[in-house]
Amino acid sequence: MDKRTLKHALLAGSGGFLAILLLASLSQFGMAALIMAPFGASCVLLFALPDAPLSQPRNVIGGHLISASLGFAFYTLAPNTPFFAALAVGVAIAAMVLSKTTHPPAGANPLLFFLTAKPLSAWFLLTPVASGAILLVLIATLYHRITGKAYPAMSKI
């Protein structure tokens, strides 16, 4: 393993650690939830592959909002069955592709509504989905600027 690979791995891991620690801490001590499991996967893209089109703010924020909104709509309007959970994921993927906001971790968002023991409300779309995704992008922007990396990729905004 060369020094550049090790440095990249350590910076990526540190960025993900700090982002999740900050969101979890703010959630614990604040009034609103700012974290959900798919954000861990978002951190892989934001900190390990910040130049990738799937890591750009439009994709992170838009992908999470679109897929979570569709998950909520399906959960609210359809029976809680494997068929409708799968359909919600499929429609969310198609919607992200059509809107050019594809963000793979957001593909899990519809499942959050179908798999939680306690029903999620429409507020879930605001917190943690929107507020958490926006904060993740802001944290990644600040982190990359501090560590000498340009993010977001200006040609991909």
Side-chain angles (χ1 to χ4, degrees), residues 15-38:
F17 165 77
L18 290 171
I20 294 300
L21 179 64
L22 185 57
L23 290 181
S25 296
L26 288 171
S27 296
Q28 185 177 6
F29 299 113
M31 300 283 285
L34 298 171
I35 194 163
M36 59 183 190

Side-chain angles (χ1 to χ4, degrees), residues 56-91:
Q56 300 313 301
R58 171 187 174 93
N59 296 72
V60 176
I61 298 166
H64 277 297
L65 280 171
I66 288 169
S67 64
S69 296
L70 288 165
F72 177 70
F74 271 86
Y75 182 76
T76 303
L77 300 172
N80 187 350
T81 66
F83 176 82
F84 285 108
L87 184 59
V89 170
V91 171

